[in-house]
Amino acid sequence: MRGLIAIFAFLLLTGCSTEEPKDWLLKDPSRWPLAALPGSASKSGMPDGAEKVLARIQVAKYDMVSWIHSKGVCGLADQGSSDATFNMSQVLTESEGNIATTEEGFAGPKELMAGSSWESAVTLWCTPTRMFVTVKAKDLGKVRIAGNAAAKKTNGKLTVVIGTPEAVKQSLPDATMIGR
């Protein structure tokens, strides 16, 4: 009987595990928490490469929308009439697996991230669970947030998190603006 118990204990301790690989979330965009979020309104339709708009951010000279595509792409596009026109995107499913902590001003778990910026004024960081946007401007002016996002304005910088209510609260607990 002792031998049977020892064998059972050995099997439990040595890999009789049914855990999924750690990168399952990254490799299957249909299971991303971002993919489950409801779509949000866009001023001028879908940006190139987008399948769903998640939030709209209006600040300074920017009128931006955050978006995703089920192929594992997330992005940020300016849709304003100003001289700022861009459409940044990141393919997370092709990531080399760089685990990074979030940018200064954000909190949250360590997870795979990819980022890009536009003229050092707007940055975008994407993960399967949330998106981080930073806008730097001398005069941010009035800020409007719509959709699955929350934001905080401090010292010439707007910090925005796009994601589920839980992810937004975790990543930007002291947000002063909440999207609707």
Side-chain angles (χ1 to χ4, degrees):
M1 183 70 165
R2 282 186 187 167
L4 198 54
I5 292 173
I7 291 172
F8 181 70
F10 176 76
L11 289 174
L12 283 175
L13 296 172
T14 60
C16 279
S17 174
T18 59
E19 280 187 36
E20 295 181 82
K22 291 180 182 178
D23 66 350
W24 69 266
L25 185 63
L26 182 68
K27 302 302 180 194
D28 186 1
S30 67
R31 294 173 66 180
W32 289 7
L34 288 176
L37 292 173
S40 184
S42 172
K43 175 181 156 184
S44 58
M46 289 289 172
D48 288 342
E51 195 172 72
K52 183 191 296 187
V53 169
L54 298 179
R56 185 173 177 187
I57 305 160
Q58 296 171 285
V59 58
K61 64 181 180 178
Y62 306 106
D63 184 355
M64 304 172 289
V65 290
S66 62
W67 58 267
I68 61 169
H69 191 284
S70 61
K71 291 183 178 178
V73 181
C74 66
L76 183 70
D78 181 66
Q79 59 178 8
S81 58
S82 70
D83 61 345
T85 54
F86 57 83
N87 188 2
M88 302 184 272
S89 62
Q90 295 294 321
V91 180
L92 285 174
T93 56
E94 296 173 3
S95 171
E96 292 297 317
N98 297 325
I99 295 180
T101 56
T102 54
E103 183 180 329
E104 182 182 339
F106 297 106
K110 283 187 173 184
E111 54 187 346
L112 297 163
M113 292 180 67
S116 59
S117 68
W118 185 78
E119 292 188 354
S120 300
V122 178
T123 58
L124 167 68
W125 290 98
C126 295
T127 79
T129 63
R130 63 203 80 207
M131 297 167 73
F132 304 97
V133 176
T134 323
V135 179
K136 295 177 187 173
K138 289 179 184 175
D139 180 22
L140 292 172
K142 186 176 180 179
V143 176
R144 294 173 65 188
I145 304 290
N148 307 288
K152 180 180 179 182
K153 189 163 68 167
T154 54
N155 301 327
K157 178 177 164 183
L158 180 71
T159 303
V160 183
V161 175
I162 298 109
T164 63
E166 297 80 20
V168 167
K169 186 175 181 181
Q170 178 186 42
S171 297
L172 197 59
D174 55 352
T176 54
M177 292 164 268
I178 306 293
R180 300 274 181 245

